[in-house]
Amino acid sequence: MTTPIKIAVHGAAGRMGRRVVALASEDTSLKIVAAIDHQSNPHLGEDAGVVAGFAPIGVELLSQWPEEVDVVIDFSLPEAIDRCIEECVEATTPLVVATTGLSDEQKAKLDAASKLIPVVCAPSMSLAVNLTMKLAEQVAETLDDVIGGLDVEIIERHHRFKTDAPSGTALKFGELIGKKLGPNTRHVHGREGHTGERTRSEIGYHAVRVGDNPGEHSIVFGMIGEKIELNVAASNRDCYASGAICAAKWLVGRPKGMYNMFDVLGLDS
Ligand SMILES: NC(=O)C1=CN([C@@H]2O[C@H](COP(=O)(O)OP(=O)(O)OC[C@H]3O[C@@H](n4cnc5c(N)ncnc54)[C@H](O)[C@@H]3O)[C@@H](O)[C@H]2O)C=CC1
Ligand SMILES: O=C(O)C1=N[C@H](C(=O)O)C[C@H](O)C1
């Protein structure tokens, strides 16, 4: 029998962290050795499995970083990312970053870290979302010069507790589509007032916040006379949690570098 991979979950008491703890604790190829959260979290000191709503796993929710870990899975908040990167670099621990809404400085810090450790960073760990991104690239490439012009609008729906907008996934869809449409693409966030006619060079973003929605993205490719709409929706958070676990397993033993979910899922080959 092979030795289980030792994982630490960063943001372990959050909506996503709890699902990662729950799914990883049922996976015999993994051993959760640390569940980390903010020092003010009311569940600190409790068993992380119980915090996740399951049986005890013998790992306390702590704010301290552990000594020895094979890989860290992070679903936290932008304000928690700097320390997470620093701890992983110091211990040369591979890192899976799922947190969205990072600043440009934090993205640069993560890039610098990837020169020293292996990193997977993706705004969505979901297989369906990443596959839809590939479809969106293909549609954009094909319709770039369509007669009458192409209008791209990205609509995302998420739960009312989400703190960043638009979603990291919506921004990634826009970035990938924008690359296919050319350097003059403008990214327009919402519309209000006397906007004038829509130009062909814009990608519009619309962020809807409703109830407990775990995440939905619609990419509309509008033409004169017809439209294509790509829709991808999560039924619950396990698509993200299982994707992150898959990324963590894939990352262990890889050379240092920056990877994404296309690499993990083999969608670029
Ligand atoms: N890439 C992906 O597939 C997905 C990414 N996300 C992103 O993951 C992040 C977390 O989402 P949720 O779990 O819904 O949020 P959440 O707010 O429920 O959880 C965040 C957790 O981080 C903890 N935290 C805050 N400061 C911390 C610190 N300094 N050190 C350690 N822990 C700290 C909080 O106490 C909380 O338990 C968000 O940025 C979200 O957009 C969410 C779902 C999927
Ligand atoms: O906060 C969330 O919930 C989600 N955030 C990610 C994002 O911002 O794209 C991924 C997913 O859509 C759920």
Side-chain angles (χ1 to χ4, degrees):
M1 215 178 92
T2 49
T3 322
I5 297 170
K6 288 183 271 179
I7 70 162
V9 183
H10 185 238
R15 283 175 288 272
M16 281 308 310
R18 291 175 194 221
R19 291 313 303 156
V20 175
V21 168
L23 296 188
S25 66
E26 289 175 338
D27 187 331
T28 53
S29 70
L30 300 173
K31 181 171 172 46
I32 302 172
V33 295
I36 309 158
D37 211 282
H38 192 262
Q39 58 194 16
S40 69
N41 192 286
H43 295 289
L44 234 56
E46 292 175 28
D47 186 285
V50 175
V51 174
F54 289 86
I57 58 168
V59 176
E60 255 181 67
L61 186 74
L62 295 173
S63 61
Q64 291 95 328
W65 278 76
E67 287 292 302
E68 223 199 300
V69 178
D70 294 325
V71 60
V72 171
I73 298 178
D74 160 72
F75 278 98
S76 61
L77 294 173
E79 48 269 42
I81 272 293
D82 292 280
R83 177 162 179 219
C84 177
I85 297 171
E86 286 155 22
E87 294 282 354
C88 288
V89 167
E90 197 179 321
T92 57
T93 307
L95 170 62
V96 176
V97 177
T99 299
T100 56
L102 304 190
S103 67
D104 288 344
E105 290 75 22
Q106 289 176 319
K107 286 179 195 162
K109 187 168 180 163
L110 199 54
D111 265 333
S114 74
K115 309 275 186 290
L116 304 166
I117 56 170
V119 175
V120 170
C121 181
S124 180
M125 300 285 159
S126 140
L127 167 63
V129 167
N130 282 280
L131 196 49
T132 308
M133 285 176 179
K134 285 289 158 195
L135 297 174
E137 281 186 319
Q138 200 184 339
V139 175
E141 188 164 10
T142 310
L143 296 181
D144 182 19
D145 292 324
V146 69
I147 293 167
L150 176 69
D151 300 322
V152 181
E153 300 277 319
I154 301 174
I155 304 146
E156 55 98 335
R157 295 175 170 83
H158 281 88
H159 51 95
R160 67 165 75 120
F161 311 103
K162 186 163 176 60
T163 51
D164 56 319
S167 69
T169 305
L171 291 170
K172 188 71 187 176
F173 268 111
E175 179 194 319
L176 295 170
I177 294 166
K179 275 189 191 145
K180 299 294 180 191
L181 301 185
N184 293 330
T185 306
R186 289 187 311 122
H187 299 268
V188 176
H189 296 273
R191 281 192 194 83
E192 193 190 21
H194 190 76
T195 57
E197 283 189 16
R198 191 191 194 286
T199 67
R200 292 296 75 70
S201 58
E202 25 184 295
I203 296 179
Y205 296 83
H206 309 279
V208 179
R209 295 288 171 266
V210 280
D212 58 355
N213 191 322
E216 246 180 279
H217 291 84
S218 300
I219 322 300
V220 187
F221 295 90
M223 294 161 276
I224 300 298
E226 56 188 347
K227 69 153 178 157
I228 295 173
E229 189 160 341
L230 298 177
N231 293 306
V232 59
S235 323
N236 59 52
R237 293 188 164 80
D238 286 6
C239 56
Y240 312 123
S242 61
I245 289 172
C246 173
K249 290 182 187 175
W250 181 90
L251 194 60
V252 172
R254 296 263 157 199
K256 63 194 172 194
M258 180 60 83
Y259 304 98
N260 57 35
M261 282 307 279
F262 295 161
D263 299 316
V264 175
L265 298 168
L267 294 180
D268 263 340
S269 46

